[in-house]
Amino acid sequence: MLLDSCNCSRWFVALACLLLATSNARGEEPALSRIAFGACAKQDKPQPIWEAVVEMQPEAFLFLGDNIYGDTDDMQVLKAKWEQLGAQPGYQKLKATCPILATWDDHDYGRNDAGADYPLRRESQQIFLDFFEVPQDDARRQQEGVYSARIFGPEGKRVQIILLDARYHRSPLKRSTKSAEPGEGYRGIYAENTDEGATMLGPAQWKWLEEQLRKPAEVRIIGSGVQVIAYENGWETWGNFPKERERLFRLIRDTRASGVVLLSGDRHLSEISRLAADDPLGVGYPLIDITSTSLNAPSGNMTKSGVRFANELNRYRVGLTYFDINFGAVQIDWSEADPTLRLQIREASGQVVLQQRLKLSELQAK
């Protein structure tokens, strides 16, 4: 029997609802194919980029920190700044489009470059959790730090999203006495802290992370407020604590966690860094760190022709650096026998300006 277009449409909607209900009955999250992410949003400035993010139709959005610029010891002021973000029309559209998962960096944590020394971190954490409507019975309401993890999708298409907290327990930074050689690019103010016991995550979070990496998943997205692979720029990165950076790579390798992709923010620039499989610190397959910032506050020097640029060391960089407003995207094509991952930086209108394309088979622990 032939179906007219109206009846056919109703049939497909009914079938989709049935499949979703069946999936939910089994306790499965739907598979993720489109994930957007970003960092560094000035809450008191226009945020037109949300139009491009929503147009991409992401199935999840990941905030990687500096989601607002709080920078205060007054919790009422901090709360009001979060409310400014919440009032942004574009953010409201995003919230209606997909789930939002978040971690923080220094400015939404409460103080520039702060770590465990920030005296109001407990109060700030509850304001953060309130803004993102985290349930009262969620583990983050009791733990120290906003780190979290979640697995989406059925077996064979599982995407694990791990968001680290590189602020709450982080040890003090050390100042650098070095300056960059001419032609080597800009250099920040920090040196390596190799003190015994210096930490990025703290003991409880390290234990939790190992437990997460041992869970079964096909793709693992680890979000960090600061860059993980790039470290020579002298600003805040995992490289400020080289032993901790090595520990992270070793943990990925020792747990035989396949499918890991790193996402990071903070820098007000975007770039893709790649740690080769055979690097002395390597995890057994190519490890990508895709840095996307800023959502509405571009950086770099402006040439007379209107091009933003800056010269900065990063031996792991693949391709160019992008300085204008942007967001990141992870696209996964599950329809292929060997799924394709596209790790992208997209500019303000949604066009792809940087990309790394990988097969899932390339990200398997050896």
Side-chain angles (χ1 to χ4, degrees), residues 40-50 88-90 295-298 325:
C40 301
K42 300 277 188 178
Q43 74 282 350
D44 55 349
K45 303 292 184 185
Q47 298 182 352
I49 197 165
W50 296 124
Q88 289 274 356
L295 290 165
N296 73 339
I325 291 168

Side-chain angles (χ1 to χ4, degrees), residues 41-185:
K42 300 277 188 178
Q43 74 282 350
D44 55 349
K45 303 292 184 185
Q47 298 182 352
I49 197 165
W50 296 124
E51 295 295 332
V53 175
V54 170
E55 186 177 347
M56 175 194 154
Q57 298 183 319
E59 294 151 341
F61 184 88
L62 313 182
F63 269 115
L64 296 182
D66 294 341
N67 309 313
I68 61 165
Y69 283 71
D71 298 291
T72 182
D73 288 349
D74 185 329
M75 294 298 99
Q76 291 306 309
V77 171
L78 185 65
K79 183 179 179 182
K81 290 184 176 182
W82 278 113
E83 290 171 352
Q84 281 184 286
L85 171 61
Q88 289 274 356
Y91 177 78
Q92 292 174 9
K93 286 184 181 179
L94 175 71
K95 191 175 175 183
T97 299
C98 66
I100 297 173
L101 291 77
T103 187
W104 57 16
D105 199 32
D106 53 341
H107 294 292
D108 47 344
Y109 179 56
R111 185 179 295 175
N112 184 48
D113 293 355
D117 57 331
Y118 182 53
L120 295 167
R121 56 186 180 161
R122 291 174 179 82
E123 294 83 350
S124 178
Q125 177 170 336
Q126 295 307 314
I127 292 172
F128 173 96
L129 297 176
D130 287 345
F131 177 78
F132 288 109
E133 300 176 354
V134 173
Q136 290 298 319
D137 60 354
D138 190 282
R140 284 168 288 178
R141 292 289 184 177
Q142 303 301 322
Q143 72 187 28
E144 294 185 327
V146 301
Y147 56 90
S148 64
R150 184 171 170 181
I151 295 175
F152 294 81
E155 186 174 352
K157 298 181 180 180
R158 291 165 296 196
V159 177
Q160 182 185 41
I161 295 176
I162 300 173
L163 298 179
L164 302 176
D165 184 337
R167 290 291 160 190
Y168 200 99
H169 301 279
R170 200 215 64 204
S171 298
L173 298 167
K174 289 195 172 183
R175 290 271 177 161
S176 174
T177 58
K178 294 181 180 180
S179 59
E181 293 291 327
E184 285 193 349

Side-chain angles (χ1 to χ4, degrees), residues 307-366:
V307 176
R308 295 183 183 277
F309 77 97
N311 182 21
E312 190 175 274
L313 281 176
N314 178 6
R315 72 181 68 186
Y316 301 100
R317 184 183 299 124
V318 179
L320 303 176
T321 310
Y322 189 77
F323 293 91
D324 276 304
I325 291 168
N326 68 88
F327 68 98
V330 178
Q331 304 254 50
I332 307 172
D333 187 349
W334 293 110
S335 68
E336 300 175 343
D338 186 1
T340 299
L341 282 74
R342 291 177 176 85
L343 313 177
Q344 303 171 336
I345 300 297
R346 297 188 174 203
E347 48 87 67
S349 70
Q351 296 297 306
V352 177
V353 292
L354 299 175
Q355 176 173 279
Q356 277 285 287
R357 183 179 180 277
L358 296 163
K359 288 292 189 178
L360 187 56
S361 61
E362 297 178 63
L363 303 179
Q364 301 305 304
K366 301 294 191 291

